[in-house]
Amino acid sequence: MTDQNTSQPGPNTNHNTNHNIQTDTTPTVDGTARRNGTVNVIVAFIVGALLAGLIAGAVAFLRPNEASSNGAGGNATAASAGAKDSCDTTFTVVASVNQWGSLAQQLGGSCAEVTSLINSTSADPHDYEATAADLAKLAKADVVVLNGAGYDGWAEKAQLDKNRQRIVNVGDLMGITATEEHSHEHEEGGEGEEGHHHHHHGSTNPHVWFSPEAVLKAAEAINDAYVAEAGENSKTAATVQRHFNEWNGEYADFVALVNKGRAAGVERNYVATESIISYLLDYIGATDKTPETYTNAMNSEAEPSAADLKSAMDIVAGDDVDILVVNPQEMGGFAKKLNEAAISSNKTIISATEQLPENQKTLLGWLTLIAKQALATDTTNGFFLTQDVKDRTLSDYEGEWQSVYPFLKDGTLDTVMEAKAKKGDMTAEEYKQYYDTGYKTDVEKIVITGNQMSFTRGGKTATATYKYDGFRILDYEKGNRGVRFLFTATGDVPEGAPKVVQFSDHGIAPGKSAHFHIFMGDSSQEETLKEMDNWPTYYPASMSGKEIVTEILAH
């Protein structure tokens, strides 16, 4: 059962709809229920196996903690983890960047007041200069979380006291140091690069928050720091340990889902404008096809030569690449040209910022989302490769169909709403109100035969002929996507028959539809694409209400 499908936005979801066939996707978070303490033994085994190298990578959706990382400007906030959190002591935590700040907040709950000094994708970490206030916050914090590896050297220069403070340096945990210059420059680039901010990592990749292994080690180190700061027998220690156990359950889901992708033989080849998420892509088994000369140029003070750029563009456009990875914070002329090559060749584009995006709540949720976008194996929930979307005909929807709206109104679907409430963030009544808006329609029956569609309202039927008008891929702010297949009425259109029709049914290629959501309009396809709240849903007319309930619950 899903609240969010390839066409139908889930409750409390904002959408960013892009109606181009090839679009970028912005990472966002989705949720599933948290694990409870009963999984701890299993989790301990899985995590131990992971560290031993027995388990490969991961993808899973977690429920975001009610806490959020602090607002822009680095103002401290406490997590609102609810009545469960019992804190006989609280502590201040300062993270150099919000990637680690969000993890520190999730693990600390209400017992931790977390400040992230860089907390927005609008801030360029490569040009960041710490203020005196920033350095003072670092020096005064009970717990300090640094990225290390040369990424946040300005924070490492603060007057930290290892005898008084608990300091977690993730680069040190991973044995990664800035062995070569990690410089940040703002310079006038070559052709198409004017005003581009260059950041040179040399042979070191400091983006360790994209490494699932580093995230696991950081979580363990932060939890240890919290327990030590609070005292092992304190209520605070018990609270943060509970949060850590819950996080471990989410991490186990992450591991299991990536292993599922590997077991299914998923192979992904990618090109990246820069190596920002290479740790994560390596973890899920993806293969980097970026020309080494291009990567070396982008990671050093040199610019890619014209030949290097052309080689990279040709590879992106070729059959051997599935995905282009871009960093929207660093879209200079060279990156834009690769992006254009991906669009023109109908390739999937994954957009990954350096900082945790504003619409993300947790680091692990963000990594999970990107991994799901890269694996692209969950079409039902809107994760698929752009190049896998194919044209469809009206024959995929042929048959006699009934609206599910009457079953919502008469209470037949109440068990569905109750099931959603057990897993989701709303009550059964709130879900019913949400689906009342989504399912609402006065078209009780649709019959599709050949290239004709008949619409029955109040016993009156109107029939029109329709031609196929292609498909559109829509990107949602949550990070998943949907496909609508468009049909336009031809000739004289009788009253009661819509001029434009759009189908969405979880499918992205030819195949008989088991049910569908339909968008109907009397103006244009583009105008109808803007409809996000009302998606009348139809199942075969031969199915009873009870059978429809069973089918919905099975999703």
Side-chain angles (χ1 to χ4, degrees), residues 60-75:
F61 275 8
L62 55 120
R63 177 192 299 281
N65 191 297
E66 292 299 321
S68 63
S69 55
N70 17 324
N75 296 325

Side-chain angles (χ1 to χ4, degrees), residues 289-413:
K289 295 290 185 177
T290 311
E292 186 175 357
T293 51
Y294 178 91
T295 300
N296 290 341
M298 294 305 293
N299 287 342
S300 68
E301 294 186 6
E303 299 289 2
S305 67
D308 293 338
L309 177 60
K310 184 179 185 304
S311 174
M313 292 175 65
D314 289 343
I315 291 173
V316 168
D319 295 335
D320 197 30
V321 167
D322 304 305
I323 295 166
L324 174 70
V325 179
V326 300
N327 176 3
Q329 291 175 277
E330 297 288 339
M331 289 299 288
F334 297 113
K336 288 179 180 177
K337 289 177 181 178
L338 290 184
N339 192 70
E340 290 168 0
I343 292 174
S344 63
S345 59
N346 203 34
K347 296 297 174 60
T348 300
I349 300 173
I350 293 178
S351 177
T353 56
E354 298 204 25
Q355 274 57 61
L356 189 76
E358 282 74 7
N359 59 1
Q360 296 294 311
K361 293 295 186 286
T362 66
L363 176 59
L364 185 56
W366 185 33
L367 267 60
T368 293
L369 176 64
I370 297 173
K372 289 185 83 70
Q373 291 174 336
L375 289 170
T377 56
D378 188 5
T379 302
T380 297
N381 287 302
F383 296 98
F384 51 84
L385 294 179
T386 300
Q387 52 269 38
D388 287 344
V389 181
K390 306 299 180 184
D391 290 317
R392 299 174 71 179
T393 66
L394 204 55
S395 63
D396 282 0
Y397 310 98
E398 198 161 35
E400 185 174 337
W401 305 88
Q402 62 180 320
S403 167
V404 300
Y405 188 54
F407 295 120
L408 180 75
K409 300 300 289 184
D410 68 14
T412 301
L413 298 185

Side-chain angles (χ1 to χ4, degrees), residues 405 440-445 456-458 538:
Y405 188 54
K440 190 171 185 177
T441 182
D442 61 353
V443 179
E444 61 259 28
K445 185 172 73 171
T456 300
R457 295 177 171 87
Y538 291 79

Side-chain angles (χ1 to χ4, degrees), residues 85-91 111 229-231 233-239:
D85 282 5
S86 178
C87 311
D88 45 16
T89 60
T90 59
F91 31 79
C111 302
E229 186 70 20
N233 298 320
S234 65
K235 292 181 180 179
T236 293
T239 294

Side-chain angles (χ1 to χ4, degrees), residues 92 94 117 130-142 144 154-155 158-160 164-165:
T92 58
V94 176
L117 297 179
T131 65
D134 290 338
L135 298 178
K137 289 175 183 177
L138 286 165
K140 293 177 181 178
D142 298 316
V144 174
W154 52 269
Q159 298 299 312
L160 303 179
R164 182 187 63 81
Q165 297 173 291

